[in-house]
Amino acid sequence: MQLTRMEGGGAEGGLIGAGELVDQHLVPGVLDGFDESRSGSENLDAASGDDQSIMRGEGRAPKRKKYHRHTPQQIQELEAFYKECPHPDEKQRLELSRRLNLETRQVKFWFQNRRTQMKTQIERHENMLLKKENDKLRFEQAAMKNALRNPLCTSCGGPVVSPELPFDEQTLKSENARLRDELTRICLLTEKFLGRPISSIASSLTQRSTTSTLDFSLGNIGFQGLNSMDHALSSGLDMSLLGSAVSLPEAPVDKSFIVQLAVTAMDELMKMAAVNTSLWSSSSDGVKEVLNFEEYLATFPPTIGPKPNNFVLDASRDTGLVCLNSLALVETFMDLNQWVSVFPSLVARASTTTVISPGLDGSWNGTLQLMQAELQVLSPLVPLRQVKFLRFCKKHEEGKWAVVDLSIDAVHEGSVALSPFSLCRRLPSGCVIQEMPDGFSKVTWIEHTQYDENVVHPLYRRLLGSGMGFGAKRWLASLQRHCEGLAALMASGEPVENPSGMTASGRKSMFKLARRMSDNFCSGVCASLMSKWERLYPGNVGEESVQLMSRKTVDSPGEPSGIVLSATASVWMPVARQRLFDFLRDKRYRSDWDILSNGGPIQEVVRISKGPDPGNCVSLLRCDTASPSQEMLILQETWTDAASSLIVYAPVDTPAIQSVLGGGDSTYVALLPSGFALYPDPDPAQTGNPAAGCLLTAGFQILVNELPTAKLTVDSVTTVEHLIHCTIEKIHQALDCAAPASRSQNPVPHE
DNA sequence: GGACTAATCCCGG
DNA sequence: CCGGGATTAGTCC
């Protein structure tokens, strides 16, 4: 809580009227000061009178028990001094006491208390970490125990069957009967969802399996699969279809039910994406489309049950041109690695749990898989979204494809089970791709989620509510930016603007390194249970307070070894996103805020463009210092699109980066990224607020100790907090906008 | 009742 | 005498 105490200083005028906007837990000193001046003044002890009475020696004798606190100014000054020097000597204390009108003993006590307080705080953090570690271990242990109890086959994910299970004829017969049933159902459904007769599929599959292009090794079919094959062969049916009915890892699951779900979701997506539909109407400002919820409910039966009461819904649709052909786009969505790489800063991580049905004809058409992913908005104030979903890809006609996602945590007895712990669910969402001439595609994106708004800080609720946070616009914008980057990379014309020139492999290496830097930065902002970051301060953080996470690295290539501290804070800025973005990436203004650059001039040594927008590029900056030996190089990646902007940078080792520029391997280049993520703060027209603000997240990662075994110290925590507050403050000043306290004018959305 | 903080008390160097 | 640990008292939530 000491994190934000300094904010109060010099801005009381702005705070008095804004009491309810200030998180009282965070700034007790500020509020207490006012309380005193309002109510506790009967005894000449108002905030200002009190010290003078001490100085005059009057109130001394009657053993003043009257409770009082130092004034905010005093505390702020003390705090500031403490940051620089937690152990002031006699002289410094005297000076402080004189300046603050405090007794020397009071100053002494204050520092004494401050130090012990800090110590207990650190202790508490350590306890927290240990407890978390303990919990994690216990959880792992439980998971392992569980895994031992229900072993799964490593190659197919199916249940392991003990070898002594009786293979009597009766069992086989009844099993066959069950499978025959299932097969018929699946055939019917397959016809329905592929829109063509089963015979052609069967024959194409047969053809494929004979030419052995289809991976159908026995290893992919579990015990049940063998059984099925047996049955299929004996009944003269093409067995391949059963391959598309691989069991989910969870118990016996009715596959046809899942297929049915996917078909229904696809149907819904297509209707939602249709051009002439009354499901959407344009908003009052005509900028975006709004879902007609009544109509929606009337049109579609709920695929995954009704909306939980405490959830709000977020439905958005956006259409745009993308410079990539439809096949390549489909590949982008269906190939896990590509998918993750197209949406950096949006998809934190993802995995494919099970392939329920592989594609047909060697294409992605008909692919149905179970996936999980973590989605993020880059701010500690917006918790990461963990989603498990079905992804189903279907080719509707030549050049027209669709990929639909649907939240599904588990399937039991023919109904969808959603985890009660999940904070978000995705209703049929995804995109429809229509191939256009010249290698372009028209993409219509539907993003429909229901989520728990309470876990999101009010500052970010408007962003999420506008569909810009996790909505269609952000997905599409990210996709477009990615494709522009691809085009730039492919372009024959040399996009490098530095005279020294650069080889294609050099560019590739630089992109790869920049990519790792940005990913690293993003992972330090949003706390994921899966990541290696440990959160220091538990619970939610508030606006302008710093979220701290730490991690230990040992012998990890590309990372400095030791303890790394990541500090992140989000604030509202009273300037448009574009202006802030341009400011932050302009090397002329860099010394205004970049403490790292030491105020020296900055030169752009290398610049590799990633698209038509000048804001999308990877560059190498040189900070000139007095002595050439201290010259420092900074790798920087910036990007911007219709929904968000990002600036990430990290100091790099000169010889290492020279090797990368020449196309060398970047794996061992150590990086500690810092940077900013910017989102617009959509101003709902009805408030009439003229301020076009934006949301800024600043993040720093610093190496606090090179020994991984070392403990985090108070000093390093204080330093990094100071760094982040200072940087934000400097940005404020440089942009000549009001100090942070003026955020009281920032209307907090739907409170 | 717990968290926070200014102030005391007490002890070892 | 100083600094640090333990403790206390007043206050707020």
Side-chain angles (χ1 to χ4, degrees):
Chain A
M1 63 153 292
Q2 74 283 5
L3 307 184
T4 52
R5 188 171 296 151
M6 58 178 286
E7 292 167 19
E12 300 89 330
L15 282 172
I16 291 177
E20 61 278 18
L21 282 178
V22 179
D23 189 342
Q24 307 204 357
H25 294 287
L26 295 173
V27 273
V30 173
L31 291 174
D32 293 348
F34 294 121
D35 281 353
E36 237 176 323
S37 59
R38 241 184 290 126
S39 57
S41 53
E42 71 276 352
N43 197 14
L44 62 84
D45 253 336
S48 58
D50 144 69
D51 330 303
Q52 280 128 23
S53 71
I54 295 168
M55 292 308 282
R56 286 193 302 271
E58 294 167 0
R60 200 73 159 280
K63 196 190 171 213
R64 31 181 276 101
K65 274 280 167 187
K66 172 82 179 81
Y67 178 77
H68 93 290
R69 288 182 181 203
H70 302 328
T71 67
Q73 291 94 332
Q74 289 170 329
I75 288 177
Q76 193 210 342
E77 296 239 8
L78 288 165
E79 202 73 59
F81 200 95
Y82 181 84
K83 276 210 170 99
E84 301 301 319
C85 159
H87 275 270
D89 60 25
E90 184 76 49
K91 231 181 82 185
Q92 291 168 304
R93 282 206 308 270
L94 209 73
E95 156 70 14
L96 267 174
S97 74
R98 202 174 46 76
R99 192 147 50 95
L100 299 176
N101 271 334
L102 286 171
E103 284 184 89
T104 40
R105 359 184 281 124
Q106 284 181 298
V107 176
K108 194 177 76 180
F109 291 146
W110 190 90
F111 276 92
Q112 181 71 59
N113 284 320
R114 194 65 236 273
R115 283 189 299 262
T116 48
Q117 180 203 21
M118 210 56 176
K119 213 172 107 185
T120 57
Q121 236 159 23
I122 289 284
E123 245 161 41
R124 220 175 303 161
H125 293 155
E126 244 151 38
N127 277 341
M128 263 286 309
L129 288 185
L130 286 173
K131 205 181 273 172
K132 197 180 163 184
E133 173 109 9
N134 192 15
D135 284 350
K136 212 166 88 183
L137 288 173
R138 270 218 305 269
F139 180 80
E140 271 170 20
Q141 199 193 13
M144 282 176 183
K145 265 191 196 155
N146 198 29
L148 279 177
R149 240 194 331 269
N150 314 312
L152 295 179
C153 172
T154 46
S155 54
C156 70
V160 172
V161 177
S162 51
E164 61 268 24
L165 196 87
F167 270 74
D168 64 286
E169 208 179 322
Q170 193 56 44
T171 324
L172 286 176
K173 271 188 176 159
S174 64
E175 179 67 4
N176 278 350
R178 196 185 64 75
L179 286 165
R180 195 175 298 125
D181 249 28
E182 188 177 328
L183 181 61
T184 335
R185 266 208 315 279
I186 288 174
C187 283
L188 283 171
L189 279 165
T190 314
E191 280 187 27
K192 192 178 161 198
F193 89 93
L194 284 176
R196 50 180 164 139
I198 198 82
S199 57
S200 72
I201 299 162
S203 66
S204 72
L205 281 168
T206 319
Q207 207 180 354
R208 234 175 16 162
S209 57
T210 50
T211 53
S212 76
T213 49
L214 180 60
D215 177 20
F216 237 98
S217 60
L218 287 181
N220 284 340
I221 304 174
F223 172 71
Q224 292 199 342
L226 278 174
N227 241 338
S228 324
M229 202 160 69
D230 189 15
H231 155 75
L233 288 174
S234 65
S235 63
L237 274 171
D238 190 286
M239 62 158 199
S240 311
L241 274 173
L242 287 166
S244 59
V246 176
S247 64
L248 287 167
E250 297 106 50
V253 157
D254 190 348
K255 279 140 265 170
S256 66
F257 173 70
I258 293 188
V259 172
Q260 179 70 63
L261 267 182
V263 171
T264 314
M266 179 60 80
D267 182 55
E268 180 172 325
L269 179 80
M270 296 311 286
K271 284 185 180 140
M272 293 277 274
V275 181
N276 296 316
T277 173
S278 48
L279 283 163
W280 300 88
S281 50
S282 52
S283 62
S284 48
D285 52 5
V287 176
K288 56 170 192 171
E289 292 179 301
V290 180
L291 181 67
N292 297 328
F293 194 55
E294 301 289 312
E295 175 126 10
Y296 174 83
L297 284 181
T299 314
F300 306 109
T303 32
I304 48 175
K307 176 173 85 65
N309 280 335
N310 52 331
F311 278 26
V312 298
L313 72 91
D314 173 15
S316 55
R317 169 166 107 157
D318 204 4
T319 302
L321 277 183
V322 169
C323 51
L324 207 59
N325 67 53
S326 60
L327 280 179
L329 270 176
V330 168
E331 174 96 12
T332 299
F333 292 117
M334 299 311 291
D335 180 284
L336 185 77
N337 290 331
Q338 285 196 47
W339 185 57
V340 173
S341 76
V342 173
F343 302 101
S345 89
L346 212 170
V347 178
R349 72 195 73 223
S351 61
T352 305
T353 318
T354 317
V355 176
I356 296 168
S357 159
L360 300 166
D361 309 328
S363 79
W364 293 104
N365 185 21
T367 304
L368 178 56
Q369 56 196 27
L370 201 54
M371 304 176 70
Q372 48 188 341
E374 287 183 343
L375 310 178
Q376 66 191 358
V377 161
L378 286 178
S379 167
L381 306 183
V382 183
L384 221 112
R385 287 185 173 178
Q386 277 158 335
V387 282
K388 284 187 183 174
F389 55 92
L390 278 175
R391 171 162 291 180
F392 176 41
C393 173
K394 182 176 172 183
K395 179 180 175 181
H396 288 265
E397 56 196 63
E398 211 48 56
K400 182 172 185 177
W401 292 74
V403 177
V404 69
D405 294 346
L406 177 68
S407 265
I408 175 172
D409 286 343
V411 174
H412 292 296
E413 315 276 325
S415 71
V416 180
L418 287 164
S419 159
F421 302 112
S422 76
L423 303 170
C424 160
R425 32 193 251 160
R426 291 176 82 201
L427 277 64
S429 299
C431 63
V432 178
I433 301 161
Q434 174 68 59
E435 177 126 352
M436 305 294 276
D438 302 328
F440 277 78
S441 298
K442 188 177 105 177
V443 175
T444 303
W445 201 291
I446 307 288
E447 196 63 32
H448 192 176
T449 57
Q450 296 171 344
Y451 64 96
D452 186 352
E453 194 179 45
N454 293 319
V455 300
V456 178
H457 189 277
L459 191 62
Y460 275 80
R461 288 185 192 163
R462 198 154 58 198
L463 175 72
L464 264 52
S466 75
M468 299 268 270
F470 288 106
K473 189 165 187 112
R474 176 136 180 257
W475 287 96
L476 189 60
S478 196
L479 178 64
Q480 285 172 319
R481 181 167 43 75
H482 171 80
C483 293
E484 282 173 4
L486 278 185
L489 194 64
M490 301 293 177
S492 50
E494 182 62 40
V496 186
E497 286 156 30
N498 67 314
S500 63
M502 188 188 259
T503 63
S505 62
R507 256 189 302 165
K508 224 174 128 189
S509 289
M510 286 291 282
F511 280 153
K512 195 176 159 199
L513 182 61
R515 169 73 201 210
R516 176 154 65 84
M517 174 176 72
S518 299
D519 284 349
N520 230 329
F521 173 76
C522 295
S523 83
V525 175
C526 295
S528 160
L529 284 176
M530 315 291 289
S531 78
K532 46 212 158 148
W533 291 100
E534 300 269 7
R535 198 133 154 199
L536 254 66
Y537 292 97
N540 290 332
V541 290
E543 185 189 356
E544 286 190 34
S545 74
V546 178
Q547 172 193 256
L548 290 168
M549 300 200 290
S550 76
R551 70 189 165 98
K552 295 172 183 170
T553 49
V554 196
D555 287 340
S556 167
E559 291 176 315
S561 180
I563 300 183
V564 176
L565 196 59
S566 170
T568 326
S570 290
V571 294
W572 185 85
M573 297 287 286
V575 292
R577 175 172 61 114
Q578 185 68 44
R579 182 170 164 223
L580 184 55
F581 178 68
D582 289 340
F583 167 77
L584 288 172
R585 69 191 181 86
D586 192 326
K587 58 180 183 290
R588 287 172 299 166
Y589 303 131
R590 189 163 188 116
S591 56
D592 286 355
W593 56 267
D594 190 358
I595 295 162
L596 195 77
S597 73
N598 271 333
I602 304 274
Q603 290 189 31
E604 192 170 59
V605 192
V606 174
R607 175 192 178 83
I608 318 172
S609 168
K610 286 188 87 174
D613 190 312
N616 292 330
C617 69
V618 171
S619 49
L620 202 54
L621 309 173
R622 193 178 67 210
C623 306
D624 291 330
T625 47
S627 70
S629 63
Q630 289 176 348
E631 168 196 282
M632 184 172 56
L633 287 176
I634 296 177
L635 175 68
Q636 175 165 285
E637 171 163 37
T638 62
W639 81 52
T640 187
D641 59 39
S644 65
S645 313
L646 190 82
I647 294 157
V648 183
Y649 59 94
V652 284
D653 183 45
T654 308
I657 201 71
Q658 268 160 1
S659 149
V660 175
L661 281 168
D665 184 17
S666 66
T667 313
Y668 293 93
V669 181
L671 290 171
L672 273 178
S674 297
F676 307 95
L678 278 58
Y679 296 89
D681 183 26
D683 183 34
Q686 56 268 31
T687 68
N689 181 3
C694 68
L695 301 163
L696 168 71
T697 296
F700 290 93
Q701 289 182 26
I702 61 166
L703 185 67
V704 294
N705 201 311
E706 290 179 22
L707 290 173
T709 50
K711 303 257 178 190
L712 216 52
T713 64
V714 192
D715 279 355
S716 46
V717 170
T718 320
T719 308
V720 74
E721 280 170 355
H722 185 62
L723 176 67
I724 208 161
H725 277 136
C726 250
T727 306
I728 290 175
E729 182 55 33
K730 277 168 173 256
I731 294 172
H732 263 119
Q733 283 167 6
L735 285 171
D736 196 26
C737 46
S742 77
R743 71 182 179 276
S744 53
Q745 279 140 34
N746 168 25
V748 175
H750 22 226
E751 254 303 73

